[in-house]
Amino acid sequence: MTPPTHWDFPVELCCRPMAFVTLTGLDVVYNAVHRAVWDAFCANRRADRVPISFKVLPGDHEYPKCRTKRTSYEWYIPKGILKTGWMNKHLNLVPALVVVFYELDWDEPQWKEKQLECATRVEIVRLENAFYEHAQTYYYTEIRRVKSHKEFLNKTTHQICRLCFQHNTPLDAIAQFRKHIDLCKKKIGSAELAFEHAAWMSKQFQAFGDLFDEAIKLGLTAIQTQNPGFYYQQAAYYAQERKQLASMLCNHDSSVMYPNPDPLETQTGVLDFYGQRPWRQGILSFDLSDPEKEKMGILSLQLKEKNVLHSELIITLLSNAVAQFKKYKCPRMKSHLMVQMGEEYYYAKDYAKALKLLDYVMCEYRSEGWWTLLTSILTTALKCSYLMAQLKDYITYSLELLGRASTLKEDQKSRIEKNLIKVLMNESPDPEPDCDAAAVKASQKLWADRVSLAGSNIFTIEVQDFIPFVQCKAKFLAPSFHVDVPVQFDVYLRADCPHPIRFSKLCISFNNQDYNQYCVVEEAYQKSDVLEQSSQGTMCLVPGKTRKFSFKFVAKTEDVGKKIEITSVDLILGSESGRCVILNWRGGGGDAASSQEALQAARSFKRRPKLPDNEVHWDSLTIQASTMIISRVPNISVQLRHEPPALTNEMYCLIVTVQSHEETVAKDVKLTAGLKPGQDANLTQKTQVTLHGTDACDDSFPALLPDIPVGDLQPGEKDETVTIDTVFPFDVAVKFVSTKLEHLDKVFADIPFLLMTDILSASPWPLTIVTSQLQLSASMTPVDQLESYVENVELEMHFVFEIPYFLSKDLPSFGRVRESLPVRYHLRNKTNLVQDVEVSVEPSDAFMFSGLKQIRLRILPGTQQEMLYNFYPLMAGYQQLPSLHVNLIRFPNFTNQLLRRFIPTHIFVKRIEEDKKMTDKLC
């Protein structure tokens, strides 16, 4: 644990203030009853109990004596603001209440005297709440006394904020703290000790962050924009400022000695008042009586500050802030602070921890495209790996700092590239700039050891995890290849480094490793030629230029129907016999930035400049890492002869001619004929395929006829698909009409209707209907036995509707003028209920009638009621009969429009003279 410094808050200020109550007259060591009383007050105190600090003291304990109070402060010159022992005195030395316990036996002979004696010494208090009230009275008295001298005192912001948090008013605590900071942030004091102000500010923010965090643990709710992390972050910022000021103000030569005697020592070992210099206690003015002593005091503080481990303080504060931002889901703030932690570990020379943090953050910055931040982090990581002589890490960071994501200048990239080549040539690289001289000297010895040791010198780097200076894209020239055609694909490479660079080997791996041997490009060269551009070299990559490598191989027969995939592309830099780096791309290439760049290229409308014929735009290339191997195309012709269309329920003839154009003969060739798979299942089940009209299909597959022997042909399989138009031979149109030949949208039960059919031929050839049959459903019966010429017409039940009654009419076929015309109406109840019916007759100008003009009837279920009327025609011709209106009480929505379909509404009336003339002619 770090020892406390003069910047740490006093223990009395950081703890929770509690009323101090002393208990006397208890022997808690040898008396069990007294011990039980003590445990009742102190043991297992819950948080909801009043805040009291109990302490057992002997009865003769001497308490601090109260000094004589001043009656006036008119000419008083204070020696300081707040004494260092004042808070400890009132929290731990001067009790607010003294409780005296006096033990009496129940059979005490002098009970009354003892009781009076006890009463003179102590007031009997039963409950600790009473103790607390007495203590509060004491503290209120002290507060009033302190307030009377507040012009000499400073407010304690720390305790005010603590009380605000305890009373669940965090906004008040934050406002109080901001007010406190605004008041003090510009009061720097002595310029030679400016780091003290930065340290004090850092401690203020840290203390408030601790208070905030403590309140959250006790139930306070925080949010993303207001949580303790921001205060720990600000505390770390001031700690970094303190570090910078200390490096400037405390940069003394090693010959400067610490002053003797020590100006920071006091006779008692502690200061009398807070905020005073040990060498001039009790002096509040800025009039320095002894400048030399002041100079020695400042020197001693500077020398002590020089030995402070600032990075440890900063890392602790940043770690607290990271934990808070992680808790409240602020990923970018967390990453930002983790970068600062990594840099502080670097300054603290803990390079392993620095690399661990920086590696973690790099992934997020790569995925989000923060290239400037990524470059800065990579630069620090490269320094760490150099100072630790970590070969693989140094190579990895160098590869990425040379790439397109790096924002370094060309001269910086050139230096890194040359250092990388030195490492591959088993030489020590040049030191990285701005590194600690002592650390560089130690690292050079480590690099010398790496050169001399004969360990593993082959490093494989997974390119998908970062952005190297070489890009790779592999592409098959077609999505599929026939087995007898060579499989062809290209590998495109592009370098982004400052100078041309030569690789030693390129090899491609497949899911079938038998093809790996056919896809290797290798070139031998001297180690010194790595950075030398050669027009003869096939493996030399020129910056900004795309290099294409073409490969081809013949697929194996057993891979027909399988997919060939590129599993990896390996590009080797260096010599396998010496030290080399294998850049490994999974699949067909691409790195951590490829997907983002491809998306941007697809959305870009920028016109690409025209390139020479042998060059391509890198952004226009796509990765095609797999292809399918399919069987070769057989040299066989299949011809189909047929005459469409096909008629439903009729056989349709197709003549298949298979001709081989192969050079050799194959035996046992078979033909499969049938419907194309994937069509409607109902069509497949209702279609039958036969051979020569005799060999039928299997019942389970009626539309497929397999294994038809063809004879001797060259091996091969040829699919021929033909589309046949199928039509119905004729269409049957059905119309429903009433007995009056009126169109019906629906038919009704027990009411006769007429079925009219029309047959329309859809065949291009003449058709003969041999037979036909009218099939009625079980609910239909014919009225007569007339023959029908319609085939397979079914009347379904959804055409038939029920009505509550049926009305029929007995009426002669014609009438005569001025002769009585009897008419009988039959009204039938078709329901299971008794129906109340209202019947009325509306007169007609062509008739007089006798009978009930309006009547109300009650008809029993299943019965009918007859009504007789005598109509007397007045005019000849086709005349309208008087209208009968029927109203059902139970069916108010049933209209009379349906009655016109059941009964005639008109009748033909003859003249008497015409009737006599007709009779005479017949005679």
Side-chain angles (χ1 to χ4, degrees):
M1 183 176 179
T2 305
T5 65
H6 63 291
W7 301 119
D8 294 323
F9 283 3
V11 178
E12 299 84 8
L13 186 62
C14 296
C15 67
R16 183 186 181 188
M18 294 189 294
F20 180 40
V21 176
T22 60
L23 308 179
T24 61
L26 293 178
D27 185 2
V28 297
V29 179
Y30 300 103
N31 193 316
V33 176
H34 292 192
R35 182 70 185 182
V37 173
W38 168 253
D39 290 340
F41 285 115
C42 299
N44 300 322
R45 291 185 64 84
R46 298 190 305 272
D48 57 346
R49 295 175 68 176
V50 292
I52 297 180
S53 174
F54 291 101
K55 190 173 182 179
V56 175
L57 294 176
D60 57 351
H61 177 75
E62 292 187 6
Y63 299 96
K65 294 180 174 58
C66 183
R67 295 182 180 180
T68 304
K69 306 300 180 183
R70 290 180 177 271
T71 57
S72 174
Y73 287 88
E74 186 174 355
W75 296 100
Y76 174 71
I77 300 177
K79 296 181 180 181
I81 297 177
L82 180 63
K83 283 191 174 183
T84 56
W86 184 79
M87 287 186 290
N88 180 63
K89 171 184 174 182
H90 286 278
L91 287 176
N92 301 315
L93 299 179
V94 178
L97 179 67
V98 178
V99 181
V100 179
F101 289 86
Y102 198 85
E103 186 174 7
L104 293 175
D105 295 331
W106 293 108
D107 56 352
E108 176 68 40
Q110 297 179 350
W111 175 268
K112 293 294 184 181
E113 292 80 357
K114 295 290 186 182
Q115 185 179 14
L116 292 175
E117 181 183 355
C118 180
T120 59
R121 296 179 58 186
V122 66
E123 179 182 0
I124 298 176
V125 181
R126 296 182 180 181
L127 301 175
E128 66 178 19
N129 286 334
F131 297 165
Y132 184 69
E133 291 175 1
H134 282 271
Q136 290 291 88
T137 302
Y138 165 77
Y139 287 120
Y140 287 146
T141 304
E142 290 295 311
I143 288 173
R144 286 194 295 270
R145 185 176 64 83
V146 171
K147 281 186 176 181
S148 63
H149 311 297
K150 63 181 179 180
E151 63 271 14
F152 301 105
L153 299 176
N154 191 10
K155 293 183 178 179
T156 306
T157 299
H158 186 272
Q159 289 292 20
I160 294 175
C161 295
R162 179 190 294 275
L163 292 174
C164 289
F165 280 126
Q166 289 180 359
H167 289 82
N168 201 23
T169 55
L171 296 181
D172 293 342
I174 294 172
Q176 172 64 27
F177 179 73
R178 288 178 177 173
K179 180 180 178 182
H180 170 66
I181 292 299
D182 292 340
L183 181 66
C184 302
K185 64 182 179 181
K186 294 184 179 180
K187 300 182 183 300
I188 299 177
S190 174
E192 296 172 304
L193 299 176
F195 55 83
E196 286 190 328
H197 179 263
W200 184 84
M201 291 290 291
S202 175
K203 202 65 183 180
Q204 299 299 308
F205 278 96
Q206 181 185 3
F208 187 79
D210 292 339
L211 285 178
F212 203 166
D213 189 39
E214 179 185 353
I216 292 171
K217 292 177 181 178
L218 296 176
L220 183 67
T221 302
I223 56 177
Q224 274 189 339
T225 56
Q226 195 60 263
N227 63 74
F230 291 101
Y231 300 95
Y232 289 128
Q233 178 190 7
Q234 197 67 16
Y237 167 76
Y238 278 107
Q240 291 171 339
E241 183 180 351
R242 174 188 179 183
K243 177 183 175 181
Q244 295 174 358
L245 291 172
S247 64
M248 293 187 297
L249 300 175
C250 307
N251 190 18
H252 298 286
D253 190 80
S254 58
S255 60
V256 177
M257 303 299 295
Y258 191 84
N260 189 15
D262 189 355
L264 304 182
E265 290 184 356
T266 59
Q267 294 180 354
T268 59
V270 294
L271 295 173
D272 293 337
F273 291 89
Y274 286 113
Q276 293 187 347
R277 300 298 184 187
W279 60 86
R280 48 180 173 89
Q281 295 191 65
I283 300 176
L284 297 183
S285 66
F286 290 97
D287 185 14
L288 304 179
S289 58
D290 193 345
E292 185 63 26
K293 182 181 292 187
E294 187 74 18
K295 181 179 179 181
M296 289 297 103
I298 292 175
L299 177 62
S300 61
L301 289 175
Q302 290 177 341
L303 293 177
K304 279 185 175 293
E305 183 69 17
K306 186 176 181 179
N307 297 325
V308 174
L309 300 177
H310 296 93
S311 293
E312 291 185 4
L313 300 175
I314 297 170
I315 289 171
T316 301
L317 294 171
L318 290 174
S319 179
N320 292 341
V322 167
Q324 294 293 333
F325 287 122
K326 181 179 180 181
K327 177 180 178 181
Y328 294 101
K329 296 180 175 58
C330 306
R332 289 188 174 175
M333 288 296 298
K334 183 190 72 172
S335 300
H336 171 62
L337 297 180
M338 288 181 69
V339 172
Q340 295 186 11
M341 285 181 64
E343 292 175 347
E344 285 301 326
Y345 275 121
Y346 167 74
Y347 296 134
K349 300 182 180 181
D350 193 345
Y351 305 120
K353 290 183 179 179
L355 273 183
K356 185 177 181 181
L357 283 170
L358 296 177
D359 271 335
Y360 178 84
V361 179
M362 284 181 201
C363 299
E364 298 184 10
Y365 287 146
R366 284 193 195 99
S367 61
E368 296 186 6
W370 298 97
W371 307 132
T372 304
L373 298 177
L374 178 62
T375 302
S376 176
I377 297 171
L378 284 169
T379 303
T380 305
L382 183 65
K383 293 178 182 179
C384 293
S385 60
Y386 169 77
L387 295 175
M388 291 192 300
Q390 294 288 342
L391 277 172
K392 186 174 182 180
D393 290 337
Y394 185 85
I395 293 171
T396 302
Y397 301 138
S398 297
L399 291 174
E400 192 159 10
L401 282 172
L402 293 175
R404 63 193 186 280
S406 172
T407 59
L408 293 179
K409 297 180 180 179
E410 288 300 313
D411 57 340
Q412 295 174 309
K413 288 187 177 182
S414 179
R415 178 187 59 80
I416 294 174
E417 185 176 5
K418 292 177 181 178
N419 273 344
L420 175 62
I421 300 305
K422 284 186 177 182
V423 172
L424 295 178
M425 296 172 63
N426 203 17
E427 299 177 4
S428 298
D430 295 336
E432 292 299 311
D434 302 327
C435 289
D436 182 73
V440 169
K441 188 174 182 180
S443 67
Q444 288 176 340
K445 185 177 183 305
L446 293 176
W447 280 105
D449 295 339
R450 295 285 190 275
V451 172
S452 60
L453 293 176
S456 176
N457 289 322
I458 299 177
F459 304 96
T460 301
I461 299 176
E462 298 287 340
V463 176
Q464 270 75 11
D465 299 333
F466 69 106
I467 310 170
F469 70 90
V470 181
Q471 300 181 67
C472 171
K473 291 182 180 181
K475 180 180 181 181
F476 281 100
L477 299 188
S480 63
F481 290 90
H482 294 286
V483 70
D484 59 338
V485 177
V487 177
Q488 302 181 47
F489 70 96
D490 296 332
V491 176
Y492 297 89
L493 297 178
R494 178 187 174 95
D496 302 311
C497 52
H499 305 287
I501 190 167
R502 298 182 65 178
F503 292 85
S504 59
K505 189 176 182 180
L506 172 66
C507 50
I508 293 87
S509 301
F510 300 89
N511 55 345
N512 188 341
Q513 299 183 5
D514 294 338
Y515 303 131
N516 295 356
Q517 56 184 324
Y518 307 114
C519 303
V520 178
V521 178
E522 192 170 4
E523 183 181 16
Y525 57 86
Q526 298 295 325
K527 292 183 179 180
S528 58
D529 295 339
V530 175
L531 291 179
E532 294 296 330
Q533 180 177 4
S534 174
S535 58
Q536 304 294 329
T538 58
M539 297 295 294
C540 181
L541 298 184
V542 179
K545 301 293 184 181
T546 300
R547 190 68 179 269
K548 182 176 75 171
F549 298 88
S550 299
F551 300 91
K552 64 171 59 178
F553 60 88
V554 178
K556 296 186 176 182
T557 308
E558 55 265 26
D559 284 338
V560 173
K562 297 180 181 179
K563 184 181 290 187
I564 296 180
E565 297 180 355
I566 299 175
T567 56
S568 66
V569 178
D570 292 335
L571 184 63
I572 299 177
L573 177 63
S575 174
E576 293 183 352
S577 60
R579 181 178 291 168
C580 70
V581 179
I582 302 176
L583 300 180
N584 176 266
W585 285 272
R586 292 192 297 268
D591 50 41
S594 296
S595 58
Q596 185 178 358
E597 291 173 347
L599 182 61
Q600 291 177 352
R603 294 176 176 176
S604 176
F605 295 97
K606 185 178 180 181
R607 184 184 298 273
R608 297 188 179 98
K610 187 176 181 180
L611 297 178
D613 295 338
N614 59 343
E615 295 186 16
V616 294
H617 286 283
W618 182 261
D619 294 337
S620 65
L621 296 174
T622 58
I623 297 174
Q624 178 67 39
S626 64
T627 188
M628 181 68 71
I629 303 301
I630 58 178
S631 60
R632 72 178 183 88
V633 179
N635 196 7
I636 296 175
S637 62
V638 179
Q639 296 180 351
L640 297 177
R641 287 187 299 161
H642 59 102
E643 296 180 1
L647 301 181
T648 307
N649 298 323
E650 295 290 338
M651 298 302 294
Y652 184 73
C653 181
L654 293 94
I655 299 176
V656 182
T657 302
V658 182
Q659 184 178 4
S660 173
H661 302 284
E662 299 285 353
E663 297 180 357
T664 59
V665 179
K667 301 181 181 297
D668 196 20
V669 178
K670 297 180 180 180
L671 177 69
T672 298
L675 293 184
K676 185 178 180 179
Q679 300 188 76
D680 186 10
N682 190 28
L683 176 64
T684 304
Q685 292 296 325
K686 292 186 177 182
T687 303
Q688 292 187 350
V689 180
T690 63
L691 179 64
H692 303 306
T694 57
D695 299 337
C697 300
D698 188 1
D699 292 339
S700 59
F701 299 99
L704 185 65
L705 192 63
D707 299 335
I708 302 174
V710 176
D712 296 340
L713 289 175
Q714 178 66 25
E717 188 175 298
K718 179 69 174 180
D719 294 338
E720 189 71 21
T721 302
V722 63
T723 302
I724 303 173
D725 294 332
T726 304
V727 298
F728 289 96
F730 52 82
D731 293 331
V732 179
V734 180
K735 294 190 297 184
F736 300 96
V737 297
S738 66
T739 55
K740 297 163 55 179
L741 299 180
E742 296 177 347
H743 175 72
L744 295 178
D745 293 330
K746 58 184 73 173
V747 296
F748 303 93
D750 298 331
I751 300 176
F753 63 92
L754 300 179
L755 179 66
M756 300 182 67
T757 59
D758 295 327
I759 300 177
L760 177 63
S761 175
S763 171
W765 306 286
L767 296 178
T768 302
I769 300 178
V770 179
T771 181
S772 63
Q773 181 183 2
L774 178 65
Q775 295 181 350
L776 300 178
S777 62
S779 61
M780 296 290 180
T781 57
V783 177
D784 50 30
Q785 299 299 325
L786 296 177
E787 294 184 0
S788 173
Y789 294 95
V790 182
E791 183 178 359
N792 297 330
V793 179
E794 294 188 6
L795 300 180
E796 300 180 1
M797 285 299 296
H798 63 269
F799 287 106
V800 182
F801 298 88
E802 292 287 344
I803 57 177
Y805 71 91
F806 175 63
L807 180 65
S808 61
K809 185 177 184 180
D810 294 339
L811 181 68
S813 58
F814 64 90
R816 294 183 179 88
V817 177
R818 294 186 179 86
E819 285 189 4
S820 177
L821 182 67
V823 178
R824 190 182 304 273
Y825 291 96
H826 303 275
L827 185 60
R828 181 179 181 82
N829 182 6
K830 298 183 63 179
T831 65
N832 297 325
L833 303 173
V834 177
Q835 297 292 342
D836 292 328
V837 183
E838 293 180 351
V839 181
S840 61
V841 179
E842 182 179 344
S844 173
D845 295 339
F847 291 90
M848 292 190 301
F849 71 90
S850 63
L852 297 175
K853 183 177 181 181
Q854 186 173 1
I855 187 174
R856 182 165 182 169
L857 305 174
R858 178 167 291 180
I859 307 175
L860 297 177
T863 63
Q864 67 179 12
Q865 182 71 37
E866 294 184 357
M867 294 175 291
L868 179 62
Y869 289 88
N870 286 322
F871 292 168
Y872 190 76
L874 301 177
M875 293 179 289
Y878 194 65
Q879 303 296 337
Q880 182 180 358
L881 293 169
S883 301
L884 184 70
H885 295 275
V886 180
N887 183 25
L888 298 183
I889 304 301
R890 293 182 179 272
F891 297 93
N893 295 328
F894 191 79
T895 64
N896 289 289
Q897 296 295 330
L898 293 174
L899 294 177
R900 299 178 181 179
R901 297 184 178 184
F902 301 157
I903 58 176
T905 58
H906 293 72
I907 193 172
F908 185 76
V909 180
K910 295 181 180 181
R911 296 179 183 273
I912 298 178
E913 294 80 0
E914 293 177 357
D915 193 45
K916 286 183 179 182
K917 292 179 180 179
M918 185 64 68
T919 303
D920 294 340
K921 289 181 180 180
L922 292 175
C923 295

